[in-house]
Amino acid sequence: MQPYQEFLDEIIIPEDVLKSKVKELGEQISRDYEGQDLLLVCILRGGIYFLIDLSRHITVPHNIDFMAVTSYGVGVRESRGRARITLDLTTDISSRNVLLVEDIVDSGHTLAAVIELLRSRRPNSLKTCLLLDKTSRREVYVPVDYLGFQIPDKFVFGYGLDMDEYYRNLPFIGSVNIEKYVPPEPPYIYNA
Ligand code: IMP
Ligand code: MG
């Protein structure tokens, strides 16, 4: 795989800005859920870096659980309305206060599908905490309760977000210059 420096267009959210926003969100969530039950649900894989950093700033005792949703595969950059649950929660969420933690909402199809499924299990409350929102691309409504940043309609990577399943570990959010990006050779590490 290429070093990211070859296709990085610009760093749109630097590491220190991300860190202080995640801390701020954690503090806000701690105030809002004070004295209440709280379960953080992370949507794999993009949400894990955000969830872990956020969880460290939440002072209310809470649990974490994970689910995975496939919206599109390697080489495809839009979800086109199809979202499939590939890994389900192991926690019973009935009567729980669930906070869904996700890296980005783009068309909204992925999150809308997860919300519909989780609502059917009758949680006491269900809220969302999103790091990034590409509002201009929304096709279906999703509630946004906590938000890190609104971003322009650019494909981004880093801090959990991938380019064909790579570069999630980078500590900043960068945008891609797609002309300079070389996709991975098959076989891919992951098939949707
Ligand atoms: P949606 O269903 O269109 O809202 O897409 C949401 C999912 O697409 C997210 O959970 C991400 O996995 C992925 N996604 C959307 N935009 C980007 C991006 O700019 N970079 C990396 N992944 C993205
Ligand atoms: Mg992805």
Side-chain angles (χ1 to χ4, degrees), residues 24-114:
E24 195 184 299
L25 288 169
E27 289 167 353
Q28 195 186 341
I29 291 164
S30 303
R31 285 193 296 275
D32 293 354
Y33 286 87
E34 199 186 339
Q36 295 180 49
D37 156 69
L38 176 61
L39 168 67
L40 303 181
V41 169
C42 173
I43 304 182
L44 297 174
R45 280 168 268 237
I48 57 169
Y49 296 83
F50 180 37
L51 174 110
I52 288 167
D53 290 345
L54 184 70
S55 171
R56 289 195 233 259
H57 289 291
I58 298 178
T59 51
V60 176
H62 59 278
N63 316 121
I64 57 172
D65 201 355
F66 301 88
M67 62 194 297
V69 185
T70 294
S71 44
Y72 48 77
V74 168
V76 184
R77 318 227 177 273
E78 289 182 30
S79 67
R80 301 202 195 98
R82 286 189 296 266
R84 196 160 48 90
I85 311 289
T86 53
L87 177 78
D88 205 345
L89 300 172
T90 51
T91 311
D92 176 1
I93 63 163
S94 63
S95 311
R96 302 295 312 267
N97 293 324
V98 176
L99 182 60
L100 260 175
V101 178
E102 171 63 316
D103 54 354
I104 189 165
V105 59
D106 185 22
S107 71
H109 289 293
T110 306
L111 205 59
V114 172

